[in-house]
């Protein structure tokens, strides 16, 4: 699902694109950035400015001027993972096996 991340303010001297961010969502650094035609144009390079109204620095893949007004990122909807799995249990260990205070067997 595409999520709007901001509006292009200007392009820096180094070729990075500066965006004013949307107040309800702030992407992570390294997140891919797309235009409205779903073309990957770069990634979030840095987040700068005040905490209440941050700016995003997007590093484009090609050194070309981005005419797009609004840029997007892809947000997972949370349905990608099927289950919890075994968590952090080590291979060969059963739950409760080998701990002190556990059940001991008697040899007759």
């Amino acid at each position: 699902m595409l999520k709007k991340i901001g509006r292009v303010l200007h392009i820096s001297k180094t070729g990075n694109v500066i965006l004013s961010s949307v107040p309800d969502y702030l992407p992570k650094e390294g997140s891919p950035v797309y235009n409205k035609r779903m073309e990957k144009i770069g990634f979030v390079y840095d987040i700068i400015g005040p905490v209440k109204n941050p700016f995003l620095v997007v590093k484009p893949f090609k050194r070309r001027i981005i005419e797009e007004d609004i840029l997007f990122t892809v947000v997972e909807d949370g349905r990608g993972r099927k289950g919890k799995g075994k968590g952090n249990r080590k291979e060969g260990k059963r739950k409760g096996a080998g701990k002190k205070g556990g059940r001991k067997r008697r040899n007759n």
Side-chain angles (χ1 to χ4, degrees), residues 2-106:
L2 281 180
K3 181 82 172 172
K4 179 179 170 182
I5 59 170
R7 184 175 298 272
V8 175
L9 291 177
H10 70 277
I11 298 172
S12 69
K13 291 179 182 179
T14 58
N16 294 333
V17 180
I18 310 299
L19 305 174
S20 62
S21 66
V22 180
D24 63 338
Y25 178 71
L26 191 64
K28 295 179 181 178
E29 289 181 9
S31 299
V33 176
Y34 299 88
N35 61 9
K36 61 185 172 187
R37 292 183 297 268
M38 283 292 292
E39 298 168 342
K40 190 185 284 190
I41 60 166
F43 63 95
V44 177
Y45 182 69
D46 200 5
I47 301 170
I48 58 174
V51 174
K52 289 185 178 183
N53 189 18
F55 297 97
L56 300 173
V57 179
V58 174
K59 189 158 196 94
F61 293 131
K62 296 180 182 175
R63 295 201 95 178
R64 62 181 176 92
I65 297 175
I66 297 174
E67 301 89 19
E68 301 295 326
D69 192 25
I70 298 172
L71 297 178
F72 303 88
T73 190
V74 174
V75 178
E76 297 294 326
D77 58 359
R79 290 185 262 167
R81 197 163 174 221
K82 290 187 177 183
K84 287 185 176 180
K86 289 188 177 182
N88 61 358
R89 278 191 240 153
K90 294 181 181 175
E91 187 176 333
K93 296 272 185 176
R94 288 182 292 147
K95 201 173 193 180
K99 292 183 181 178
K100 289 184 178 181
R103 193 170 152 187
K104 296 181 182 179
R105 292 186 176 184
R106 268 202 260 176

